[in-house]
Amino acid sequence: YDIVEPQTAMVHAVGFVAADAELLQKDFTSVVWSPRSNVDLYGNTASVTLLDTLGVPIALGTDWVPSGSMNMLRELRCADELNTLYFDNHFTDEDLWRMATTTAAFAGGAGAITGMLKPGYVADIAIFDGKDRKDHRAVIAAGVEDVVLVMRGGKVLYGDDALVADAAVGG
């Protein structure tokens, strides 16, 4: 039985081959990639460059703490390291960033309300220190100490004292 539908998101996909990837692409199915957990549990990770080449949307997600990353920043750094060391920089910084934002929102079924900064969307926003790293690299190479502001639904949850106290942010 073919139970794969466009709203399907498959987690891990470590054992998938080209024929499987073609079926996923045909069905508009996403893959949620958890590289740290994949390598720890299986000694390998999904063929993400193959999936990407065939047009399968790839979201980045943490698995569970015993084998995965404790947060998305660490998962992003793991994906970036694999991309640099083993994938010949197949993915751009923007590609990796989108895996954790827009593509992840769509894979989770929330792409109509979150995952992008645009009118009508939930204002879930994280702002990172860009002094030493620019653009998407400021997020991909960030540690928790580089997070300067976090908002959920437009409400401040966390941030640097001066920024959180600023009336423009909500004071």
Side-chain angles (χ1 to χ4, degrees):
Y1 299 100
D2 182 5
I3 60 170
V4 177
E5 297 292 330
Q7 72 271 18
T8 303
M10 298 200 175
V11 180
H12 297 305
V14 174
F16 285 20
V17 295
D20 300 321
E22 287 175 343
L23 290 173
L24 296 180
Q25 189 277 333
K26 184 184 79 158
D27 286 335
F28 305 103
T29 301
S30 301
V31 167
V32 180
W33 181 36
S34 302
R36 186 176 309 278
S37 185
N38 291 169
V39 171
D40 190 50
L41 292 174
Y42 312 118
N44 202 354
T45 192
S47 298
V48 288
T49 57
L50 170 68
L51 293 167
D52 183 58
T53 299
L54 292 176
V56 176
I58 303 166
L60 189 68
T62 60
D63 195 2
W64 60 328
V65 175
S67 64
S69 296
M70 67 181 291
N71 60 46
M72 282 298 293
L73 292 177
R74 292 181 93 177
E75 199 71 23
L76 265 170
R77 284 201 310 268
C78 179
D80 182 48
E81 184 175 313
L82 288 171
N83 186 49
T84 301
L85 296 176
Y86 300 105
F87 304 154
D88 195 29
N89 293 305
H90 174 87
F91 299 106
T92 66
D93 287 354
E94 183 177 357
D95 292 336
L96 292 170
W97 175 81
R98 285 195 186 283
M99 287 180 193
T101 57
T102 308
T103 309
F106 278 99
I113 60 167
T114 191
M116 291 182 267
L117 295 176
K118 62 189 255 184
Y121 276 50
V122 176
D124 292 347
I125 301 167
I127 298 175
F128 297 83
D129 184 341
K131 283 189 311 239
D132 299 324
R133 295 174 293 272
K134 300 295 177 207
D135 303 320
H136 301 97
R137 179 63 30 193
V139 178
I140 294 167
V144 293
E145 66 280 1
D146 298 311
V147 179
V148 297
L149 183 69
V150 176
M151 300 173 79
R152 171 80 182 186
K155 305 275 190 238
V156 175
L157 293 180
Y158 167 86
D160 291 350
D161 290 340
L163 193 54
V164 171
D166 190 318
V169 176

